[in-house]
Amino acid sequence: MKTSAILILALTSIVAFSCKKESQPASAADQLITSQKAIVTTNTWKVTLFTENGIDHSSDFNGYVFLFNSDGSVVVNNTISGVSLTGMWNVKASNNSKSDDSGHHEGSDDKNKLVITITGSHLMDEISDDLDIVKISESEMWLADDNTTSPKEIHFTRIQ
């Protein structure tokens, strides 16, 4: 009797572990991130609003064109000066966790974040951040920084 029970347990274990697991469908959160990434990479963008601490700095971005590539790189060209800069970007889920050292509160709500890192100019340092995606569509992206000491709002508009 004991031998039969051990044999049945061994066979059940073999069958359970040898079955190929079916791939799980993407979660709604993963599907949203994929959709948002597709929107970001489908278009070329310009900054139409940039405020920090309630002060409008939008005109500082005149002539800048942003191209977010599907490989996670971003190319920024200034059509006036000819300056070209590169960086990285990503969309990540808000993780509802603790503050980071810079006063930013990652995951302060359920919004996904557009993370942009562009170096080479002070102006691009201002854009580089993990920004809450407030609104995103084929024609515009509204982003907000959750840094309470220096809040930013950035609107990108698709270039036709």
Side-chain angles (χ1 to χ4, degrees):
M1 178 78 171
K2 202 176 209 181
T3 306
S4 297
I6 292 174
L7 184 59
I8 291 172
L9 181 60
L11 287 173
T12 304
S13 297
I14 291 170
V15 169
F17 289 110
S18 67
C19 292
K20 184 177 180 180
K21 290 187 178 183
E22 296 294 321
S23 61
Q24 297 293 324
S27 69
D30 290 340
Q31 289 175 357
L32 179 60
I33 288 173
T34 300
S35 171
Q36 289 173 334
K37 284 181 176 181
I39 290 171
V40 172
T41 59
T42 300
N43 303 303
T44 304
W45 303 91
K46 65 181 178 181
V47 173
T48 52
L49 176 74
F50 183 94
T51 63
E52 187 170 19
N53 291 323
I55 300 170
D56 190 344
H57 298 281
S58 304
S59 64
D60 295 346
F61 294 90
N62 287 344
Y64 283 94
V65 176
F66 294 76
L67 176 62
F68 296 91
N69 297 307
S70 60
D71 66 357
S73 66
V74 58
V75 178
V76 183
N77 291 308
N78 186 311
T79 59
I80 298 168
S81 70
V83 170
S84 182
L85 302 165
T86 59
M88 302 300 293
W89 75 276
N90 195 15
V91 174
K92 70 175 187 174
S94 177
N95 62 5
N96 296 318
S97 68
K98 62 187 183 302
S99 300
D100 65 20
D101 293 336
S102 66
H104 297 84
H105 302 282
E106 290 193 35
S108 60
D109 50 34
D110 293 331
K111 294 180 178 81
N112 285 339
K113 300 218 178 248
L114 179 61
V115 181
I116 303 172
T117 307
I118 306 167
T119 58
S121 83
H122 172 70
L123 196 55
M124 291 305 115
D125 288 344
E126 294 298 319
I127 290 273
S128 297
D129 213 329
D130 59 331
L131 302 156
D132 288 335
I133 299 173
V134 176
K135 177 181 178 182
I136 189 166
S137 70
E138 294 293 327
S139 61
E140 58 189 354
M141 293 188 290
W142 292 8
L143 309 170
D145 187 4
D146 55 6
N147 181 336
T148 56
T149 61
S150 183
K152 296 178 206 172
E153 185 175 352
I154 305 170
H155 292 186
F156 283 95
T157 302
R158 185 180 102 187
I159 297 174
Q160 299 292 342

